[in-house]
Amino acid sequence: GESVGLHLPTLSVQEGDNSIINCAYSNSASDYFIWYKQESGKGPQFIIDIRSNMDKRQGQRVTVLLNKTVKHLSLQIAATQPGDSAVYFCDRSRDMRFGAGTRLTVKP
Amino acid sequence: DSGVTQTPKHLITATGQRVTLRCSPRSGDLSVYWYQQSLDQGLQFLIQYYNGEERAKGNILERFSAQQFPDLHSELNLSSLELGDSALYFCASSLASADTGELFFGEGSRLTVL
């Protein structure tokens, strides 16, 4: 069946380092992916999206990479800051099945 | 501020009771989505409405129901509450019902069932 899963439930990085959060999907019909960030006690917020006709998309300090061959999506955060500490979810084509997410903790 | 308003922010009630959670979408958004998030869990999609009509259904229990009104606000009704229903309930909205485009989430309603 369809699924959107995350490789790691938690990720801890040092402030200033780059972070990479991964997501796998199983339905090759997917054509659109979104990353959301959820800070403690708040609702998820849109970070960046990517369509399947792209391999890479860059935002402010964030880059999303899409590897359709292995059905893998990653979110890269450059120069991670304490304010990046949150749970990150990937969503496939408005599949609305976010999965458990990856909790990113940034150590000062 | 996402523009999505949810009330109440916090609610404490007892098992067996019934509660109603309310959501006002962003101005102009026609789609409303409801999600449940239990402690340290992911977002569980419950149901989606588009312009007053049910559009998609997720893992919503029969004890739960929702509707979207002509003014586009939505209500999620939870009845015969159980301890396991304690969770954060999020509402999100989007302009259309298409498969693309971001969702705008409210701050959630935290339900505690004692």
Side-chain angles (χ1 to χ4, degrees):
Chain A
E2 302 174 4
S3 68
V4 176
L6 292 143
H7 292 306
L8 296 172
T10 62
L11 176 65
S12 183
V13 300
Q14 205 70 37
E15 182 178 357
D17 287 352
N18 296 334
S19 303
I20 300 176
I21 301 170
N22 297 304
C23 186
Y25 63 96
S26 59
N27 186 339
S28 59
S30 307
D31 62 359
Y32 181 70
F33 300 86
I34 309 179
W35 281 98
Y36 288 89
K37 171 187 179 183
Q38 185 179 20
E39 296 178 66
S40 182
K42 296 187 176 181
Q45 285 184 296
F46 171 90
I47 302 173
I48 192 168
D49 59 3
I50 187 168
R51 293 185 181 277
S52 59
N53 61 355
M54 303 168 71
D55 297 321
K56 178 180 179 179
R57 188 161 190 219
Q58 286 186 292
Q60 194 174 25
R61 281 201 307 117
V62 294
T63 301
V64 56
L65 299 177
L66 177 61
N67 186 330
K68 295 179 283 295
T69 302
V70 296
K71 299 191 178 107
H72 181 269
L73 190 70
S74 69
L75 177 72
Q76 300 180 359
I77 305 173
T80 315
Q81 302 168 0
D84 295 325
S85 292
V87 176
Y88 291 81
F89 298 96
C90 62
D91 180 25
R92 179 195 66 81
S93 290
R94 192 70 72 70
D95 190 33
M96 302 174 288
R97 303 177 201 283
F98 287 79
T102 294
R103 181 178 298 279
L104 174 66
T105 302
V106 182
K107 297 178 288 186
Chain B
D1 182 7
S2 67
V4 177
T5 305
Q6 289 187 248
T7 57
K9 289 191 179 349
H10 302 275
L11 188 56
I12 301 174
T13 189
T15 55
Q17 295 299 303
R18 172 191 170 94
V19 298
T20 296
L21 308 180
R22 181 188 168 100
C23 171
S24 294
R26 284 191 326 154
S27 177
D29 283 358
L30 300 177
S31 271
V32 169
Y33 307 76
W34 285 98
Y35 291 86
Q36 179 192 57
Q37 187 175 41
S38 301
L39 186 64
D40 287 336
Q41 296 294 312
L43 289 160
Q44 183 94 329
F45 168 65
L46 297 178
I47 198 163
Q48 177 203 357
Y49 281 83
Y50 175 73
N51 204 20
E53 294 191 2
E54 183 183 304
R55 179 58 62 96
K57 214 166 188 175
N59 299 320
I60 187 167
L61 300 172
E62 285 191 10
R63 300 184 285 110
F64 296 0
S65 65
Q67 54 184 329
Q68 186 179 27
F69 295 87
D71 67 352
L72 300 176
H73 91 270
S74 178
E75 292 181 355
L76 178 67
N77 301 297
L78 314 174
S79 62
S80 302
L81 285 168
E82 302 175 359
L83 295 177
D85 297 328
S86 295
L88 261 172
Y89 290 85
F90 286 104
C91 169
S93 74
S94 66
L95 176 61
S97 184
D99 285 341
T100 60
E102 66 179 284
L103 300 181
F104 295 87
F105 284 83
E107 295 292 289
S109 292
R110 182 175 293 281
L111 173 66
T112 302
V113 182
L114 301 176

